[in-house]
Each structure stands twice: as structure tokens, then as C-alpha cells.
């Protein structure tokens, strides 16, 4: 477990970027063996956004990050650390965060990627928080969640292709008054379940070959039933754990931001926790599952809709491939 860092570090700027290309369930229906009604009934998703062929993860990340830096009323030169959560990097190596650094004209400060699939943003947030004093004594940290899963989807596979959209969200961390900011984080991984979510080929375990290409092994694969079981048993334990760490009760929380994987699954977890869904914020119906971007995109949407104000207590919670899970609690400044 990453140790908790200085308590007076919080989000002082936020931004997001969603590609303009909107893909409706009717569009999906034309290329996947499914129906628009089935998608809505099982997932709550109405539409999602896809990038153009010439757009990659670093583009989305840079656009969202520029928005966050502007929101914080800072300049690129004020950033002393960049952490990017993504599982759809521009390349296997080098780190996509270094490409983002170049695109934004950031200083030659530390920049690296965190691969925790849909948990990537909260993992990155916790890492940046823990490194803040080391890297940013007189500057700020940039934390990004960005993914372009549309480029990994197999449209012959209904079990995974209907869920995902592309997007990016970013936050700037800075010093805030004592009592505000990130109060506690809880991270976990269950590596024995790593086969539940994967792209089988393309890495060094199974390099690209004629066989992997013909076997369609470079596409995203997910065991839906196993993922449902993990999510619905892990989140009801994870949320109380992070609340206890900060000495809070669920009733003290103004808004919960759950990973937007599936509306039905999110509502089920909220019911298990005894949380009224009116205290949740949703973007899944219009953006689908944007993987590591899901949490910051949904948080930004909630702020834009006036649901977050100074002093609001928030819980962010997510689950991703690995399997991984993460939650953080903060008091908004």
C-alpha cells in the first residue's frame, strides 16, 4: 500500500476531452450481433465517443491536460510531475506521458505511465499524491486518465464491444488549506484474476505473428461474468475501507463518483452499500466506459452541473483489469 502523503494536497484544476464522433447504439447494432434495446437494458449506455483514425491516446491526454492547467490558472512551466493512467498507450515504449509532456511543452520533470486499466486514474492520483513533496515542493502535479479503447475492440464480440468509448480527463494537484484535498486512498490488486480482462497478444508474452493476427488475439477480451462477480464483491468492501481510513461514514459523503462501466452494475453496488443513487453522478449513458478516463470525466461533468462545491466530500471508486481496484476520499477545495 502506498503511504498517505501530505494531507493538504488537492485538486485545483480539472479538464476533460471527449472526441466529437458520437456512436449510438443504432450504429453499434449495424456492426455487432446485438440490438440497441439489449445494450440499454444490460448496460444503460445510449451512446459513446470514438476517436478518428489519426488520433491517439496522447492527443486526448494532452487536450484534457491543457484544459486542466488552464482551469488551475497555471502555465505548463508550473508542472513538476506528470502521471498518466492508461492501458492504450501510443506505443509499448516509451511512456505515452513523455509524448504528452512534449505536446504540452512541459518542463523536463518526471513523467511516467501507470497501467491499471480502468483503475488507472485513481492509482495515478494516489501515486502523484504520495510523490508530491518529493517532486513538487514549489510546483504542481498533473494527473491524467486517458484511453482509446475503440482501437482495440472486436466488433464480432458482443460481450465487450458495446461498452467502451474513448476520452480523457485530467486534474492538477496543488497545495490547499489543511482539511481540504485528498484525505485517504485505498488501492488493491488481485493478480490471480489477470485473465479476466486482457489483450492476449502484442506484448512480449505473445508477440505478433501470423497466428495471433488470424486468431484475432490483438483485440480486447473480457470475461463478463467474472468481472461482474469481482466488481460486486470488491466495491462493497473497498468503499467502507477508504471511509474508515479517513474516519468518515457513508452519510458524510455528498457525492459518489463510481467508475462508469455499466449503469446496472453501478446501481447494484450502490444498493449493496445502502447508498441512494441520487448521491451518485452518471455519465455512462452518454460516454460509455471510458476506462481510465471514466473517473475524471465524470467528476468534471458533476462539477459542470453544479453538484460539487467547496467543502463537498467526495468518494471516487473504481475497478479495472488486473484485477485492480481503488478508491479515494477528498474534501473539495
Amino acid at each position: 500500500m502506498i503511504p498517505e502523503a501530505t494531507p493538504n494536497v488537492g485538486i485545483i484544476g480539472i479538464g476533460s476531452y471527449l472526441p466529437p464522433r458520437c456512436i449510438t447504439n443504432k450504429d453499434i447494432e449495424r456492426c455487432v450481433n446485438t440490438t440497441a434495446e439489449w445494450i440499454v437494458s444490460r448496460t444503460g449506455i445510449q451512446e459513446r465517443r470514438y476517436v478518428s483514425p489519426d488520433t491517439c491516446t496522447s492527443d486526448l491526454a494532452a487536450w484534457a491536460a491543457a484544459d486542466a492547467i488552464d482551469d488551475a490558472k497555471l502555465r505548463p512551466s508550473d508542472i513538476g510531475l506528470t502521471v498518466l493512467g492508461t492501458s492504450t498507450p501510443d506505443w509499448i515504449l516509451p511512456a505515452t506521458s513523455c509524448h504528452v509532456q512534449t505536446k504540452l511543452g512541459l518542463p523536463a520533470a518526471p513523467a511516467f505511465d501507470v497501467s491499471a486499466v480502468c483503475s488507472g486514474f485513481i492509482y495515478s492520483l494516489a501515486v502523484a499524491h504520495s510523490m508530491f513533496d518529493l517532486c513538487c515542493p514549489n510546483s504542481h502535479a498533473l494527473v491524467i486518465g486517458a484511453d482509446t479503447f475503440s482501437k482495440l475492440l472486436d466488433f464480432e464480440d458482443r460481450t465487450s464491444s458495446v461498452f467502451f468509448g474513448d476520452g480523457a480527463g485530467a486534474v492538477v494537484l496543488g497545495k490547499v488549506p489543511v482539511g481540504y484535498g485528498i484525505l485517504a486512498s485505498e488501492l488493491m490488486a488481485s493478480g490471480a484474476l489477470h485473465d479476466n480482462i486482457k489483450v492476449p497478444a502484442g506484448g512480449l508474452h505473445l508477440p505478433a505473428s501470423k497466428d495471433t493476427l488470424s486468431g484475432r488475439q490483438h483485440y480486447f477480451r473480457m470475461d463478463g461474468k467474472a468481472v461482474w462477480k469481482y466488481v460486486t464483491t470488491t466495491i462493497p468492501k473497498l468503499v467502507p475501507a477508504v471511509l474508515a481510513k479517513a474516519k468518515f461514514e457513508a452519510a458524510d459523503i455528498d457525492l459518489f463518483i463510481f467508475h462508469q462501466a455499466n449503469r446496472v452494475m453501478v446501481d447494484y453496488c450502490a444498493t449493496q452499500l445502502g447508498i441512494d443513487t441520487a448521491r451518485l453522478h452518471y455519465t455512462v449513458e452518454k460516454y460509455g466506459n471510458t476506462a481510465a478516463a471514466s473517473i475524471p470525466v465524470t467528476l468534471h461533468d458533476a462539477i459542470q452541473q453544479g453538484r460539487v462545491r467547496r467543502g463537498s466530500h467526495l468518494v471516487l471508486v473504481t475497478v479495472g483489469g488486473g484485477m485492480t481496484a481503488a478508491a479515494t476520499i477528498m474534501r473539495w477545495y
Side-chain angles (χ1 to χ4, degrees), residues 41-328:
S41 67
R42 300 299 181 91
T43 71
I45 299 168
Q46 299 278 357
E47 57 191 40
R48 69 287 289 149
R49 305 295 182 88
Y50 284 179
V51 295
S52 59
D54 60 347
T55 300
C56 54
T57 297
S58 64
D59 294 316
L60 303 188
W63 293 327
D67 193 21
I69 292 170
D70 183 65
D71 185 56
K73 297 179 174 56
L74 298 174
R75 297 170 297 177
S77 58
D78 295 317
I79 301 302
L81 171 68
T82 301
V83 187
L84 169 62
T86 186
S87 52
T88 55
D90 291 2
W91 315 278
I92 293 177
L93 55 86
T96 300
S97 56
C98 293
H99 202 194
V100 174
Q101 183 189 64
T102 299
K103 289 182 176 183
L104 291 172
L106 302 180
F112 58 90
D113 296 355
V114 171
S115 179
V117 198
C118 299
S119 300
F121 176 78
I122 298 183
Y123 262 59
S124 298
L125 188 70
V127 170
H129 182 206
S130 70
M131 293 179 64
F132 192 87
D133 285 349
L134 173 67
C135 297
C136 308
N138 300 302
S139 60
H140 303 80
L142 177 63
V143 182
I144 313 167
D147 274 306
T148 51
F149 264 79
S150 66
K151 297 191 176 189
L152 289 177
L153 299 179
D154 183 355
F155 291 99
E156 294 184 6
D157 177 16
R158 181 179 72 168
T159 64
S160 61
S161 59
V162 303
F163 291 97
F164 290 89
D166 302 331
V171 301
V172 174
L173 296 183
K175 294 179 181 179
V176 296
V178 173
Y180 290 90
I182 299 169
L183 304 178
S185 295
E186 187 78 12
L187 313 180
M188 62 178 292
S190 302
L193 305 176
H194 68 275
D195 275 341
N196 289 353
I197 294 174
K198 63 182 178 180
V199 176
L204 300 184
H205 175 71
L206 191 60
S209 67
K210 289 182 179 179
D211 288 341
T212 63
L213 291 171
S214 63
R216 306 180 71 81
Q217 292 180 282
H218 294 265
Y219 290 113
F220 175 84
R221 296 286 181 251
M222 177 173 67
D223 182 337
K225 290 183 179 179
V227 170
W228 175 277
K229 180 179 179 181
Y230 181 79
V231 172
T232 57
T233 56
T234 299
I235 286 182
K237 298 175 184 176
L238 184 63
V239 171
V242 77
L243 287 170
K245 204 169 189 179
K247 297 179 173 57
F248 275 70
E249 300 289 340
D252 300 320
I253 303 304
D254 298 294
L255 193 66
F256 291 84
I257 305 291
F258 279 63
H259 170 51
Q260 304 290 290
N262 177 324
R263 173 70 183 252
V264 176
M265 186 160 62
V266 169
D267 287 350
Y268 181 87
C269 290
T271 300
Q272 294 293 100
L273 287 161
I275 299 168
D276 188 333
T277 55
R279 295 166 65 204
L280 275 60
H281 192 77
Y282 299 91
T283 57
V284 65
E285 70 284 350
K286 57 185 177 181
Y287 300 139
N289 180 351
T290 54
S294 172
I295 292 291
V297 163
T298 304
L299 176 58
H300 194 202
D301 193 79
I303 292 166
Q304 291 173 322
Q305 293 190 31
R307 300 197 69 188
V308 179
R309 297 176 176 84
R310 179 168 292 184
S312 294
H313 289 111
L314 312 175
V315 167
L316 318 180
V317 59
T318 187
V319 171
M323 296 294 288
T324 58
T328 192

Side-chain angles (χ1 to χ4, degrees), residues 24-55:
T24 68
N25 289 342
K26 286 295 183 182
D27 294 325
I28 296 289
E29 191 179 73
R30 284 190 280 271
C31 59
V32 180
N33 181 24
T34 190
T35 65
E37 292 75 19
W38 185 91
I39 297 171
V40 172
S41 67
R42 300 299 181 91
T43 71
I45 299 168
Q46 299 278 357
E47 57 191 40
R48 69 287 289 149
R49 305 295 182 88
Y50 284 179
V51 295
S52 59
D54 60 347
T55 300

